[in-house]
Amino acid sequence: MKTKLLFLSFIVLIFSCTSNKNSADFIEKATGRYYFNADEIIEVTFNDDDKLLLKWRNQDLEPLKVNDSTFYVRELNEKLIFNSDKNNIELAEKREHEGEKYVFEKLKKGEKLPSEYLAEGNFEAALKGYKAIKEKDSLTPVIREKNLNDLGYMYLRNKEYKNAINVFKINIELYPNSSNTYDSTGDAYARMKDTANAIEYYKKALTINPENRSSKRALEKLTSKDEE
């Protein structure tokens, strides 16, 4: 506890000796969107007083300036180092990083994330983006089947049916041998009252895994309605 208090006191002392004013050149170079991971960003902006601000995971953060290129983010207990020449941000090294180096590259002008293409309803661009992520790092949580499935159901809960279908179909493209991806697509069509497509996808799910109880129940329910 004492060590932490000493560290915070040291940080406050540094800030008190540092000008909060950022140069016009730094503002121009630092402003923009940076990859936090392959499908998530950190956005850097400046307010009317030229103070640096961050937006990350729906949080508005106000880092404290350490020097002309380094800023301390209290909420993360991390120092960000801006490398304007390299168009990236680095996390200052510390023991908790266990030797890992964290670098956030700046997105090019007009560049979008796969999830942003999804939100716009641009299926082809989103699919291309997620396939590129999987090709580069097949183990990243960004394209994990469960995570994409959760995203699809989030859209479904919000009644954004087209986006939900797009997510589930992308999951099918990435994991064609998963019964669950077809089952989820069936759920989306069932929610839309598109019985024909729902039945088609539940049957596909059962072709891959005949013991998929969710698809069995849903299919029985839908076919019994048709018989009535």
Side-chain angles (χ1 to χ4, degrees):
M1 184 66 179
K2 287 184 178 179
T3 303
K4 188 174 181 179
L5 289 173
L6 285 171
F7 172 74
L8 291 174
S9 299
F10 176 68
I11 291 292
V12 170
L13 178 63
I14 291 175
F15 296 150
S16 64
C17 300
T18 303
S19 170
N20 283 324
K21 191 73 174 176
N22 293 296
S23 70
D25 181 62
F26 175 76
I27 292 172
E28 181 181 356
K29 290 180 178 178
T31 298
R33 292 158 25 107
Y34 297 78
Y35 283 103
F36 178 73
N37 60 42
D39 199 32
E40 190 175 2
I41 64 165
I42 300 172
E43 186 173 5
V44 176
T45 59
F46 292 82
N47 64 14
D48 293 338
D49 296 322
D50 296 337
K51 184 176 182 180
L52 186 146
L53 304 173
L54 297 180
K55 180 176 277 295
W56 177 68
R57 293 184 175 175
N58 296 318
Q59 297 180 73
D60 294 310
L61 309 178
E62 297 185 18
L64 301 173
K65 186 173 180 180
V66 178
N67 58 43
D68 287 342
S69 62
T70 305
F71 295 78
Y72 175 68
V73 186
R74 289 169 297 193
E75 294 84 351
L76 306 177
N77 191 25
E78 299 283 0
K79 284 195 288 186
L80 306 183
I81 303 171
F82 285 79
N83 295 315
S84 298
D85 295 335
K86 296 181 180 179
N87 281 330
N88 66 31
I89 303 171
E90 292 182 15
L91 288 189
E93 293 182 11
K94 66 179 188 180
R95 183 178 55 194
E96 288 84 349
H97 294 166
E98 298 180 345
E100 291 285 339
K101 188 173 184 179
Y102 295 92
V103 180
F104 310 127
E105 301 292 342
K106 192 174 186 179
L107 277 73
K108 297 181 179 65
K109 188 174 181 179
E111 190 174 359
K112 294 181 181 179
L113 306 175
S115 58
E116 291 175 320
Y117 284 123
L118 266 177
E120 294 174 357
N122 191 337
F123 174 80
E124 293 300 332
L127 176 60
K128 183 179 178 180
Y130 282 119
K131 281 185 171 180
I133 291 172
K134 187 174 183 181
E135 186 175 338
K136 186 176 181 180
D137 182 6
S138 62
L139 299 179
T140 177
V142 168
I143 50 92
R144 195 171 288 161
E145 181 188 339
K146 182 184 182 304
N147 291 345
L148 286 173
N149 208 51
D150 289 344
L151 177 62
Y153 278 106
M154 181 202 75
Y155 279 126
L156 206 53
R157 286 192 298 273
N158 294 335
K159 298 183 179 180
E160 297 178 57
Y161 299 123
K162 182 180 178 181
N163 287 346
I165 293 289
N166 284 344
V167 175
F168 293 139
K169 286 189 174 181
I170 284 171
N171 225 3
I172 287 173
E173 290 281 344
L174 297 179
Y175 303 98
N177 297 319
S178 168
S179 176
N180 189 55
T181 59
Y182 290 95
D183 178 75
S184 297
T185 312
D187 285 348
Y189 279 120
R191 192 77 63 87
M192 294 168 64
K193 302 190 184 307
D194 185 342
T195 304
N197 273 313
I199 289 174
E200 178 186 346
Y201 278 91
Y202 287 134
K203 284 182 176 179
K204 287 179 179 178
L206 290 169
T207 298
I208 295 171
N209 176 18
E211 301 305 316
N212 187 322
R213 289 180 293 178
S214 173
S215 291
K216 276 184 177 181
R217 286 194 300 268
L219 192 57
E220 287 172 2
K221 185 177 179 180
L222 289 176
T223 52
S224 65
K225 281 184 179 179
D226 286 347
E227 290 170 0
E228 292 172 4

